[in-house]
Amino acid sequence: MPKREHVEVDGRELALSNLNKVFFPENGFTKGEVIAFYSEIAATILPHLRDRPLTLKRYPDGVEGEHFYEKNAPSHTPSWVKRYAVPRSEGGGHIQYILCNDKPTLVWATNLGDIEKHVLLARAPHIGCPTSLVFDLDPGEPASILDCCRVALHLNEVFQSLGLKCFVKVSGSKGLHLAVPLNTKTTYEITQSFAKTIAELGQRQLPDRVVSDMSKELRRGKVLIDGSQNSDFKTTVAVYAMRAKHGGPFISMPVTWDELSRAVKRGSDKDLFFTPAAAVKRIKRLGDLFEPVLGLKQEIPKAFTEAIAAGPKPRLLSWQRKRGRTEDKTIREYAAKRDLARTPEPAGSPAAKSRKIHSQRFVVQKHQARSLHYDFRLEMEGVLRSWAVPKGPPTKLREARLAMHVEDHPLEYGDFEGIIPPGNYGAGTVMVWDEGEYEEETGNSVRAFYSGKLHLLLRGKKLNGEWILVKDKSEEESSRWLLIKAGEDLPPIPTKSDDTSVLSGRSMRRITEDQDAQWESNRTHTANSVTARGPTRRRTEPVFIEPMHAKPVAELPPGGEWTFEIKFDGYRCVAVKRGADVTLFSRNKKIFNKRFPKIRDAVADLSGEFVLDGELVAFDAQGRPSFQLLQDAKTEDQSIFYFIFDLLNKAGEPLLDVPLERRRVLLTSLLGSAQDPLRLSAQLQAPSGQIIQAIRQLGLEGVIGKRIDSIYESGERSGAWIKYRTNKAQEFVIGGYIPGTRGFDALIVGVHEGKRLMFVAKVKNGFLPRKQRDILSALRKLETNQCPFANLPEDRTSRWGQPLTAEKMKECRWVKPELVCQVEFVEWTDSGHLRHATFLRMRDDKPADKIVRET
């Protein structure tokens, strides 16, 4: 049981737990000390928290443990803690936020592990009126907080020229926060637009120092001016809040513009980081430097607010002119992508009008093209506005799915079902998965569409309820939208119903086998057949299929919809049997036949043609998987096995779109009584918590989780398959080494961000002498004069470890980034480096250009 201590705070009795628990391991700062800090500065921080909805960011086990966000007041919230209900942006019930208005509430929230204090920019009850404008200045390595200071000083001059007073605080991490108090009547639409304008102005004025785009590829060596916090659903770290960063607690403290100038002139940031003790001392000496932010009344320049107020109609018309969304143009765009002489799809007519019988119709078509996706279509302005939803419409409350806006389709397309032949846009099979009518909450779906947000009520044969369709407005011309489930959960759709057309009652496979196309013209239920093309059954020869990937997760979901397997430490292997020939492929299509002839022969003994997916695993004398034995095996021995977990093709029948549960049944039948070295990968039958405990006790690498109904998504990491590691480890690319008495003292490793290789660590530990000699031999063959890392050299003021400065880089030897190793580590730092990295093994089964940071 947690150890509790009862205290009285301003007349309220509180039960505080585990006060001696260490929240910041690097310097031993405890939970009790966090609470004591907030208690001591309560009179200073509370005016900045009062009446602002608070999102709890809870760290129950300190900064190195898992954390989670909690917007709704917990069920055990004392009755005396004030709350305020805020409508959800995606619809549904209100969020009951906590209002941290007094010292007892401040202590109570901190006792829950809420180290940082994240609040909205508006005060209750005027929840749509932000009281200030905020900017986050975030340096991209090797830029530092001093670069942020230079940019902040420039922005302050910009604000002064606009007649606005600006205040600055250190973030408590590596950047700065700017606050422009308003305390006048305004809206988030105005403040967000103004913030974006200021950020873009900063980029134009300081192109070598500043970016306003969130993309990591653009941020190297520059300062991001981030104004995205000026939104009605985002929270901001309050002034005087403690930051839950690794290393030790630092406070988000106000500083003066003179202090920033001095730091820049001295080239030192030592006065820009404040420990809790230093913060308390400074507050007692200087008082609240952010007090003016609470009451100073300022207005965004009138010219700007008038420009915003001129919408939305002019903006609507301008957007329409840019997009060319007229009926004639969209039908021409549709037709231009198709050879209408060869495809059975309806041609469409520019003069087509909405039918009165279905004035607000929606259609969802399941579409197996290069990949399976769902086409979500809304009848509007004489056409079907269309979005491609890769994972299908969401069914659980607040679940969001990517929806890519595509070209408009003619109304007749809503009744199309059949085969689109090769050579045409979207070649593949189309099913009418669902249809019905829809309403838009505002009553004007056209205006809602152009504004970028539709609140939909669908009444279909499968989809009934509320959904939100909202545009990603980070870029004006972006085609990215989100389809979000609102209202309440949708009951599960039965597997058979999910694969049944509401138009013809056929499955996707049956439509493919029929090799025809049909659609209903004006709802007359008249089928239009198309001459059959080819055989009545489509056959796909067994060939290599790029393996599906598992997405790393911090915790396993509960059972029910998931099945779990051991994560083996071996080589991924796709086995293809065609006729009597068997080929064993690695994940990057290297052939294993010569290395593992016994496995090849065992697969050849299985009857029929097929494609298998599995893992080659070697076991040591204690019966534990050993990647080292597998890698070092010169000739195959009895300790190497092929654990098979999936069947991708059987007798020429592709199974990628068949649910996993069914594929496992077919796989079990195929393997029959197969004996070693072939083994069926066992599905673990236990709650996920017990599975993790058992995996740790056995010293295994981790667990793979798979949705029971998941299809096989070749080459994808969609999240339908997940992996949980019992330790923190992943693969890294070797880009260099530091020579030493044993050949080398450290490997220099990194991961890819886009096409750039980014340095993350020097790996010094874990090398056996023989293995170290082998690695050095391989490295010397790849030596080059060119450093492959895009983020080197590092700034001398780097706060993590010994930085690889330009001077230190003179000691390094660089190699072509072709070798991959696996490394175990304690954690990732905020700056994107590894702490306490240990070498595990080399990996020759994974291509270097595919190695990215696993999150």
Side-chain angles (χ1 to χ4, degrees), residues 567-579:
K567 184 184 185 304
F568 289 111
D569 192 10
Y571 287 144
R572 188 75 172 269
C573 178
V574 174
V576 177
K577 185 184 179 190
R578 190 170 177 178

Side-chain angles (χ1 to χ4, degrees), residues 279-493:
V280 170
K281 185 176 179 181
R282 181 179 172 88
I283 291 170
K284 289 179 179 178
R285 180 167 57 90
L286 299 178
D288 182 5
L289 294 180
F290 252 44
E291 185 177 11
V293 176
L294 298 171
L296 178 61
K297 294 187 176 185
Q298 302 185 114
E299 293 185 349
I300 290 173
K302 189 175 181 180
F304 188 88
T305 56
E306 288 177 347
I308 293 293
K313 188 174 180 181
R315 292 171 62 202
L316 173 61
L317 294 175
S318 172
W319 196 92
Q320 286 178 290
R321 286 196 297 271
K322 288 180 181 179
R323 301 291 290 177
R325 293 292 181 186
T326 64
E327 294 176 28
D328 289 1
K329 186 173 187 297
T330 55
I331 297 302
R332 288 197 300 270
E333 289 174 349
Y334 165 85
K337 293 186 175 183
R338 291 156 174 82
D339 182 354
L340 295 172
R342 296 184 62 244
T343 181
E345 297 168 277
S349 167
K353 301 296 179 184
S354 296
R355 295 160 296 176
K356 292 181 180 180
I357 191 170
H358 286 292
S359 58
Q360 291 283 96
R361 185 186 178 206
F362 85 89
V363 180
V364 180
Q365 286 164 310
K366 196 172 181 178
H367 189 174
Q368 177 63 63
R370 286 186 299 175
S371 60
L372 180 70
H373 63 277
Y374 292 73
D375 293 312
F376 184 77
R377 311 191 194 280
L378 301 176
E379 184 173 348
M380 196 185 302
E381 294 189 298
V383 295
L384 289 173
R385 292 270 145 74
S386 300
W387 291 261
V389 186
K391 297 183 181 180
T395 58
K396 294 185 177 179
L397 182 61
R398 292 186 290 279
E399 182 181 14
R401 297 278 175 86
L402 174 67
M404 296 299 292
H405 187 216
V406 297
E407 79 278 4
D408 296 340
H409 283 51
L411 294 178
E412 299 96 322
Y413 198 97
D415 301 314
F416 170 72
E417 183 172 279
I419 301 293
I420 304 173
N424 266 273
Y425 181 79
T429 304
V430 177
M431 169 204 282
V432 180
W433 185 81
D434 195 20
E435 66 169 354
E437 295 181 343
Y438 79 93
E439 294 179 13
E440 207 287 319
E441 184 182 48
T442 66
N444 190 331
S445 59
V446 175
R447 180 173 290 275
F449 169 75
Y450 288 121
S451 73
K453 183 176 182 180
L454 299 100
H455 190 154
L456 304 169
L457 175 62
L458 305 183
R459 290 188 292 271
K461 297 175 182 177
K462 296 178 182 178
L463 301 180
N464 279 280
E466 295 178 70
W467 278 261
I468 303 290
L469 188 58
V470 60
K471 187 177 189 287
D472 178 358
K473 295 184 179 180
S474 60
E475 299 179 18
E476 185 176 357
E477 298 297 326
S478 173
S479 59
R480 293 172 58 91
W481 292 59
L482 287 177
L483 184 59
I484 306 168
K485 184 67 182 79
E488 59 185 20
D489 288 352
L490 186 74
I493 298 173

Side-chain angles (χ1 to χ4, degrees), residues 441-633:
E441 184 182 48
T442 66
N444 190 331
S445 59
V446 175
R447 180 173 290 275
F449 169 75
Y450 288 121
S451 73
K453 183 176 182 180
L454 299 100
H455 190 154
L456 304 169
L457 175 62
L458 305 183
R459 290 188 292 271
K461 297 175 182 177
K462 296 178 182 178
L463 301 180
N464 279 280
E466 295 178 70
W467 278 261
I468 303 290
L469 188 58
V470 60
K471 187 177 189 287
D472 178 358
K473 295 184 179 180
S474 60
E475 299 179 18
E476 185 176 357
E477 298 297 326
S478 173
S479 59
R480 293 172 58 91
W481 292 59
L482 287 177
L483 184 59
I484 306 168
K485 184 67 182 79
E488 59 185 20
D489 288 352
L490 186 74
I493 298 173
T495 301
K496 184 176 180 181
S497 176
D498 183 60
D499 192 36
T500 302
S501 164
V502 298
L503 183 67
S504 65
R506 298 182 296 174
S507 67
M508 288 288 282
R509 182 178 300 175
R510 178 63 184 274
I511 295 170
T512 303
E513 291 172 350
D514 288 349
Q515 290 284 316
D516 73 351
Q518 63 184 40
W519 62 87
E520 295 177 290
S521 178
N522 295 318
R523 313 300 289 172
T524 61
H525 299 275
T526 301
N528 295 271
S529 297
V530 177
T531 304
R533 305 173 183 85
T536 58
R537 183 174 182 82
R538 177 177 295 179
R539 188 178 188 279
T540 303
E541 296 291 342
V543 295
F544 171 79
I545 295 172
E546 185 179 354
M548 182 173 174
H549 304 297
K551 187 176 183 179
V553 294
E555 60 182 24
L556 288 180
E561 299 178 351
W562 294 83
T563 181
F564 302 105
E565 301 172 33
I566 294 172
K567 184 184 185 304
F568 289 111
D569 192 10
Y571 287 144
R572 188 75 172 269
C573 178
V574 174
V576 177
K577 185 184 179 190
R578 190 170 177 178
D581 295 331
V582 170
T583 307
L584 306 179
F585 292 99
S586 73
R587 71 173 65 217
N588 52 348
K589 217 174 178 181
K590 293 180 179 179
I591 297 178
F592 283 147
N593 285 25
K594 291 184 178 180
R595 288 188 64 181
F596 306 105
K598 292 181 182 178
I599 302 293
R600 179 202 61 203
D601 293 344
V603 172
D605 287 340
L606 297 174
S607 61
E609 295 186 332
F610 47 77
V611 179
L612 304 173
D613 188 7
E615 190 96 357
L616 296 171
V617 183
F619 289 92
D620 62 18
Q622 287 73 42
R624 293 175 301 191
S626 171
F627 186 86
Q628 203 66 57
L629 285 177
L630 182 69
Q631 191 177 45
D632 293 345

